[in-house]
Amino acid sequence: MPSSELARALRRELRGDVRFDTPERAVYGYDASNYRHPPLGVVRPADTDDVRAAVRLCREYGVPLVPRGAGTSIGGQAIGPGAVVLDFRRHVNRVLTVDPDARIARVEPGAVLDRLQRAAAPYGLRFGPDPSTHSRCTLGGMVGNDSCGSHSIAWGRTADNLHALDLLLADGTELTVTGPRSPAERSALRERPGREGEVHRALQDLTAAHLGTLRQGMPDLPRRTSGYDLDALLPERGYDLARAVTGTEGTCAVLLGATVRLVEAPAATALVVAGYPDETAAADAVLALLPLRPLTAEGMAADLIAALVEGGHRPPALARLPEGACWLFLETGGATPGAALDAARELADAVRREPRATVAVVTDRAEQRQLWAVREAGAGIVTRLPGGGEAWPGWEDSAVPVERLGDYLRELRALLGRHRLRGIPYGHFGEGCIHLRLDFPLTEPTRLPEFREFMEQAADLVVAHGGSLSGEHGDGQARGELLTRMYPPEIIDLFGRFKRIWDPAGLLNPGTVVDPRPLDADLRFPGRDLLPLALPYERDGGSLLTAVHRCVGVGKCVSTDPGPGVMCPSYLVTEEERHSTRGRARLLAEMLRGELVTDGWRSPEVREALDLCLGCKGCASDCPVQVDMAMYRSEFLHQHYRRRLRPASHYSMGWLPLTLRLAFARRLLNRLFRSPAAALLKRIGGIDPRRDLPPLAPETFERWFRRRTAVPGGREVLLWPDTFTNHLDPAPARAAVELLEQLGYTVRLPDGPVCCGLTWHSTGQLGIARRVLRRSLAAIPPGLPVLGLDPSCTATLREELPRLLGEAAGDVPARVHTLAEFLDREGVDLPRLDGVRAITQTHCHQHAVLGTAADRLLDRRTGLDNQVLDSGCCGLAGNFGFERGHYEVSTALAERVLLPAVRAADQDTVLLADGFSCRTQIDQLAAGRRAVHLAELLRDALRAQSGAQRG
């Protein structure tokens, strides 16, 4: 059957998106596992009628189906070879109703968990399970995997929080399943007409014929999510069909909707952090703390903190961790902060009864959020081990009875030692569930037998402790093959019979749980670097292939409400997987693999996906594994257009520094920019016609600096005259000079023309960027601090300069500072800004590379009432927002948070934006408002203060 026939049939009948193209097949061929299975195509249904039609057509064409939520499954159950993937997140994603009296909510399968939590929060309610992927995981995916999360010791797994599930079977049958039923109700279900009654009779008869096997062959522990939960069908458990279907990983039915139970959210929380010498000591201690009913009992080892810090992150709240090498996060709740604190103190007293334990109680909400953010990012953080090395899922979330956890960890450590494997254990210690990514030799085909040997021995170990292969994420391809080591043959046979009752044709997610694919097949790692590379990939052994495999699919970049941070702006607008950091990394991996994407550096599919990458570098800081898509994009554009004609914007804006330096008759040019001829200039330059061309400053900053009368001062500081500030907006640089001189410094400029090369770098003209930087480096005198005003140029000097020039960069990157960093380091007296209100748009490159800690310290030192917008990228991003074809994305990003905040601010509120791009976006899209640089705000305040003192 040609895929084109099915694609045409789907397009005829569905209102949603039907994608059978190469990029879609490439990005949906991965989830968060070690596996790769390109699908036949992808369907994003518009509604449940589309789901019904898609299932019917796939049945008619004999094509398997894989339901998918956020694609964060760690076992490989969200991908399937030659299948049609049903992606529910884009359209079938509503929270339909919240009933606070009954404490239930109705949701569609693609509803994201955080969206449900926001809908329930006004009533003081929440959904109990809360996996670390809560900002993007869907309720359908949670039902499919029986997700848990940190609060499961208080509120249980997903299966414990369901009221009813609306199911669609592969043959078109629809039925609703609920929790426990009385004997009379079970008998009535058997009498239902048609296929529905047939299913109930078959399930009840299967159970009745194997009561002893089901009662004796299923381990009893809170975190058993391996295999099917067949013992939920036992009479003493009320034929709990909703529980039995939960965790079946999309192999039995397609979810059309769910009614979930809600729990009361504590009005206040406190966090007890207990420190222990190692993870086994923490595991041994946790059992004695559970009678005090903490809401969480999460374990986190010092290695995880080391990996976080090595990746460049050190949240201030880490200082609250007490002494130790492993910590338990024990949350308490109460109706008031006092009640939560009382519970925390009681728990802390219990911790202290262990002589080797240390303890801290954290009540500040911001500090609690910072510490929990570290725990939530664990799946990404631990993929890069301290001191080097890559770690992969596989033995990801084994679980044992909590009283056996310490012994299990000791024996697991010994097993790791025998196999010479390293990893960082953390997880749900209060329920005996351990997350552990290991440095399996998955990129070395000859060593795959070692991987298999360890997995088999680890499975035997966890079973010997009465545990489960999976305590949270299900089996998928990663552990399905090992189920025969956990369950007797009779149970394995019942799994197959159970699936065939629901899906006799085997169309739903075949190869998962039943008749599983081998755990060491279909790995995603094969590929090769296309040499020579232009960039060093210093953190990845010089390999782009290794760099793109940093992406392990945890999907923080596909959050549609990402919270603090920048990543991923283009996805926030388009909600296209290929426009996420994850999707682009997958496409680059396919390019290097050479099977689906066969054109190498010339690939139009990769070029299209990267076209909407803003180069914001948000992923380099916000992605838990620091995927740096801006760097990969520069490499691709360099290679793609090598010895080829480039887009017009690469010349008009890539070469802008040189064009501006050669510009003369600036007033005449400005009149030209405002004339009808500007339309022709934009068309020739590849600039969107709706954009205004920024006017040239009547006088460059450098000329102003040379003709002015310098104020004698003390210590010298070198001010970097970046292209944008020098030629287009000199006001911040002039303010910086005047501010620094008033503070007693002597300001110098470089000894000749300089440029950071950013515009060439961002358009992939890396050879020119390297030459420009080399010439600029020669103009920087030794020893002086280098003060950058535009964050994008400052970040380039700090990060890309050593990347492009290597050791030749010398100590210059370490001498580069933002204005706030310099003033904070110098400890100078600053003017007071009491009573001044401001809102700040942080430049993406400052967020990602430079940081804003010094800026926030200056806020506190000056008394500035500053609201830092959680807006992400402003949308202009240098040349991006000017380029033809990007206007809609650029303006949509600005309209998310930035522009509404600017419009809502009164005229007395200062708009702070250090980035020229950010100020330009505000100037062009928020009529009548002008943003200023920090230098301007401080200069004006210092002038006013000095004038008041003289008066």
Side-chain angles (χ1 to χ4, degrees):
M1 185 278 305
S3 63
S4 57
E5 293 181 19
L6 175 59
R8 283 194 296 270
L10 288 165
R11 291 189 183 104
R12 278 196 305 270
E13 296 204 29
L14 272 60
R15 295 189 303 110
D17 310 316
V18 177
R19 305 279 183 79
F20 278 55
D21 55 278
T22 295
E24 212 76 354
R25 295 181 60 222
V27 299
Y28 280 88
Y30 301 82
D31 52 10
S33 70
N34 296 325
Y35 304 101
R36 169 188 177 269
H37 288 298
L40 186 67
V42 178
V43 169
R44 296 187 301 192
D47 51 29
T48 52
D49 284 341
D50 268 7
V51 177
R52 296 179 179 97
V55 170
R56 172 174 54 78
L57 288 169
C58 286
R59 179 176 70 251
E60 291 174 2
Y61 282 88
V63 173
L65 278 156
V66 175
R68 178 174 167 123
T72 55
S73 298
I74 290 173
Q77 57 266 56
I79 52 179
V84 167
V85 172
L86 285 176
D87 182 355
F88 289 89
R89 285 185 84 231
R90 183 66 184 274
H91 304 299
V92 192
N93 57 15
R94 295 175 298 168
V95 176
L96 299 171
T97 60
V98 174
D99 184 339
D101 297 325
R103 292 189 177 182
I104 59 173
R106 284 276 303 146
V107 298
E108 293 182 322
V112 172
L113 175 58
D114 272 4
R115 189 173 298 169
L116 171 60
Q117 304 293 37
R118 287 194 298 272
Y123 307 104
L125 302 174
R126 56 163 291 162
F127 189 60
D130 56 348
S132 60
T133 54
H134 54 83
S135 66
R136 59 269 191 198
C137 71
T138 66
L139 271 296
M142 293 179 70
V143 170
N145 289 340
D146 198 3
S147 299
C148 304
S150 299
H151 290 86
S152 61
I153 61 171
W155 299 317
R157 297 159 23 192
T158 297
D160 300 310
N161 291 272
L162 297 176
H163 178 74
L165 301 176
D166 300 327
L167 305 178
L168 172 66
L169 306 191
D171 62 9
T173 301
E174 295 187 37
L175 69 161
T176 297
V177 299
T178 62
R181 299 281 196 144
S182 67
E185 290 172 326
R186 298 199 292 271
S187 296
L189 290 174
R190 296 177 64 90
E191 303 306 317
R192 293 276 177 91
R195 176 85 165 101
E196 182 180 358
E198 178 187 321
V199 168
H200 285 295
R201 289 190 294 274
L203 291 171
Q204 292 182 26
D205 291 346
L206 181 73
T207 305
H210 301 89
L211 293 174
T213 300
L214 293 175
R215 286 169 177 150
Q216 298 171 19
M218 309 289 286
D220 183 18
L221 71 161
R223 284 294 190 111
R224 187 195 77 214
T225 61
S226 275
Y228 295 145
D229 202 357
L230 298 188
D231 49 340
L233 300 177
L234 288 168
E236 58 267 29
R237 296 183 61 181
Y239 185 61
D240 189 345
L241 202 49
R243 180 179 291 272
V245 171
T246 301
T248 54
E249 304 180 26
T251 61
C252 294
V254 175
L255 185 68
L256 293 178
T259 304
V260 300
R261 296 193 182 97
L262 304 174
V263 299
E264 185 176 356
T269 60
L271 182 63
V272 177
V273 184
Y276 298 90
D278 55 41
E279 73 266 12
T280 55
D284 290 336
V286 72
L287 185 63
L289 303 175
L290 295 180
L292 295 176
R293 302 177 64 83
L295 300 178
T296 67
E298 297 292 289
M300 192 170 67
D303 284 351
L304 191 149
I305 302 299
L308 173 74
V309 172
E310 193 170 287
H313 299 280
R314 185 184 285 275
L318 290 183
R320 299 302 312 274
L321 295 178
E323 184 179 351
C326 185
W327 297 273
L328 291 178
F329 282 17
L330 305 156
E331 187 179 77
T332 60
T336 65
L341 180 58
D342 289 343
R345 287 171 173 160
E346 183 182 8
L347 199 51
D349 290 341
V351 170
R352 293 187 186 98
R353 296 189 190 109
E354 164 57 51
R356 298 180 298 168
T358 58
V359 70
V361 177
V362 181
T363 56
D364 182 81
R365 295 299 298 271
E367 290 183 333
Q368 290 183 53
R369 283 194 296 269
Q370 286 182 30
L371 291 172
W372 278 119
V374 174
R375 166 62 187 85
E376 290 177 0
I381 293 170
V382 300
T383 61
R384 288 300 182 271
L385 300 174
E390 302 166 302
W392 309 111
W395 196 246
E396 172 67 27
D397 61 319
S398 54
V400 297
V402 66
E403 63 271 15
R404 306 285 294 273
L405 182 59
D407 291 338
Y408 170 64
L409 280 173
R410 278 181 276 271
E411 293 186 43
L412 182 59
R413 279 291 190 192
L415 180 63
L416 293 173
R418 291 195 294 274
H419 284 267
R420 298 179 183 176
L421 292 172
R422 291 192 303 148
I424 301 174
Y426 69 100
H428 314 288
F429 280 32
E431 289 194 306
C433 181
I434 298 297
H435 295 310
L436 181 61
R437 295 191 175 215
L438 297 167
D439 58 344
F440 294 123
L442 300 180
T443 60
E444 304 173 52
T446 59
R447 297 185 61 193
L448 289 181
E450 300 174 34
F451 169 56
R452 171 174 287 278
E453 182 182 11
F454 171 82
M455 291 291 288
E456 291 174 348
Q457 292 179 10
D460 292 342
L461 175 63
V462 76
V463 170
H465 282 275
S468 175
L469 307 174
S470 172
E472 181 164 29
H473 296 300
D475 301 307
Q477 187 167 354
R479 289 172 292 273
E481 187 186 353
L482 300 173
L483 288 171
T484 55
R485 306 180 95 89
M486 178 177 170
Y487 292 106
E490 297 83 1
I491 294 290
I492 298 296
D493 178 66
L494 289 177
F495 287 164
R497 295 170 66 180
F498 179 79
K499 174 177 168 59
R500 286 189 289 275
I501 290 171
W502 297 97
D503 178 30
L507 289 177
L508 298 180
N509 211 356
T512 299
V513 183
V514 173
D515 301 323
R517 290 181 282 271
L519 61 85
D520 51 2
D522 313 308
L523 297 174
R524 66 181 179 90
F525 302 101
R528 81 287 188 216
D529 276 307
L530 300 175
L531 301 173
L533 297 171
L535 294 172
Y537 304 97
E538 65 279 359
R539 297 181 303 161
D540 296 293
S543 169
L544 176 61
L545 180 66
T546 302
V548 298
H549 281 158
R550 279 179 171 270
C551 178
V552 291
V554 295
K556 187 177 179 183
C557 56
V558 295
S559 301
T560 52
D561 185 16
V566 171
M567 181 181 68
C568 174
S570 53
Y571 179 82
L572 289 174
V573 173
T574 71
E575 295 188 29
E576 294 277 359
E577 178 76 20
R578 70 182 83 181
H579 295 150
S580 68
T581 305
R582 179 174 71 176
R584 293 178 176 121
R586 301 317 198 193
L587 271 167
L588 284 166
E590 287 295 334
M591 179 190 80
L592 298 175
R593 190 179 182 113
E595 296 176 10
L596 272 180
V597 178
T598 58
D599 296 331
W601 293 121
R602 295 291 191 250
S603 166
E605 297 92 351
V606 177
R607 182 193 64 215
E608 185 277 333
L610 290 173
D611 178 61
L612 288 184
C613 173
L614 284 82
C616 68
K617 298 185 79 70
C619 48
S621 63
D622 297 349
C623 171
V625 291
Q626 289 92 51
V627 169
D628 189 347
M629 193 53 61
M631 177 168 64
Y632 311 161
R633 184 190 68 160
S634 291
E635 176 81 57
F636 177 83
L637 293 176
H638 172 82
Q639 305 284 1
H640 184 77
Y641 290 110
R642 196 172 186 179
R643 301 187 184 94
R644 301 172 78 192
L645 188 65
R646 289 174 165 270
S649 62
H650 286 200
Y651 301 106
S652 65
M653 285 178 279
W655 286 74
L656 188 64
L658 181 61
T659 306
L660 290 175
R661 189 161 289 279
L662 296 176
F664 60 93
R666 304 172 76 86
R667 285 185 172 83
L668 178 62
L669 286 173
N670 284 337
R671 285 199 294 270
L672 181 65
F673 290 170
R674 294 191 298 271
S675 74
L680 178 61
L681 292 176
K682 295 176 191 177
R683 188 158 58 250
I684 294 171
I687 297 170
D688 192 281
R690 290 162 288 188
R691 282 289 180 188
D692 294 330
L693 297 174
L696 303 180
E699 180 181 45
T700 68
F701 164 69
E702 288 176 326
R703 183 174 180 182
W704 172 87
F705 186 86
R706 286 193 300 268
R707 69 171 176 78
R708 61 185 281 282
T709 301
V711 177
R715 184 185 174 197
E716 288 188 327
V717 59
L718 187 78
L719 189 65
W720 181 270
D722 66 84
T723 295
F724 309 112
T725 302
N726 189 24
H727 294 279
L728 301 175
D729 188 12
R734 293 163 70 162
V737 171
E738 294 165 352
L739 170 69
L740 291 165
E741 288 183 341
Q742 289 182 71
L743 293 173
Y745 294 94
T746 297
V747 180
R748 284 186 58 181
L749 296 188
D751 297 334
V754 294
C755 178
C756 70
L758 173 62
T759 57
W760 285 288
H761 189 284
S762 64
T763 53
Q765 301 176 78
L766 298 178
I768 300 171
R770 188 174 281 112
R771 291 196 294 273
V772 167
L773 276 171
R774 192 174 290 117
R775 285 196 298 268
S776 297
L777 197 63
I780 301 176
L784 298 183
V786 180
L787 194 60
L789 295 177
D790 190 85
S792 60
C793 299
T794 310
T796 301
L797 292 174
R798 188 175 290 179
E799 185 170 78
E800 303 303 340
L801 173 61
R803 190 169 279 159
L804 287 171
L805 298 188
E807 293 182 0
D811 67 346
V812 170
R815 289 195 276 137
V816 172
H817 309 283
T818 67
L819 176 62
E821 288 173 341
F822 178 77
L823 295 175
D824 178 59
R825 191 188 68 169
E826 294 289 295
V828 296
D829 291 332
L830 296 174
R832 295 295 301 175
L833 295 169
D834 301 298
V836 177
R837 295 191 311 276
I839 59 175
T840 290
Q841 168 65 25
T842 303
H843 191 285
C844 297
H845 289 185
Q846 178 159 6
H847 168 84
V849 179
L850 306 168
T852 59
D855 298 77
R856 303 292 75 80
L857 287 171
L858 257 60
D859 290 346
R860 292 194 285 273
R861 285 178 56 191
T862 60
L864 178 64
D865 179 8
N866 189 9
Q867 177 193 358
V868 181
L869 297 178
D870 181 16
S871 54
C873 183
C874 74
L876 193 64
N879 58 297
F880 176 87
F882 280 95
E883 290 177 335
R884 191 162 46 237
H886 295 168
Y887 183 81
E888 285 78 10
V889 171
S890 176
T891 55
L893 284 167
E895 290 289 357
R896 286 187 63 249
V897 177
L898 172 60
L899 292 181
V902 169
R903 296 184 190 114
D906 60 45
Q907 292 296 321
D908 293 331
T909 299
V910 177
L911 307 181
L912 271 179
D914 283 359
F916 173 75
S917 288
C918 306
R919 295 196 302 275
T920 302
Q921 186 80 315
I922 292 170
D923 179 63
Q924 294 202 357
L925 300 182
R929 299 306 302 265
R930 176 181 178 269
V932 299
H933 193 284
L934 176 65
E936 298 174 87
L937 177 65
L938 292 176
R939 187 269 317 272
D940 292 346
L942 191 57
R943 277 180 178 173
Q945 180 177 294
S946 299
Q949 290 171 351
R950 286 195 300 270

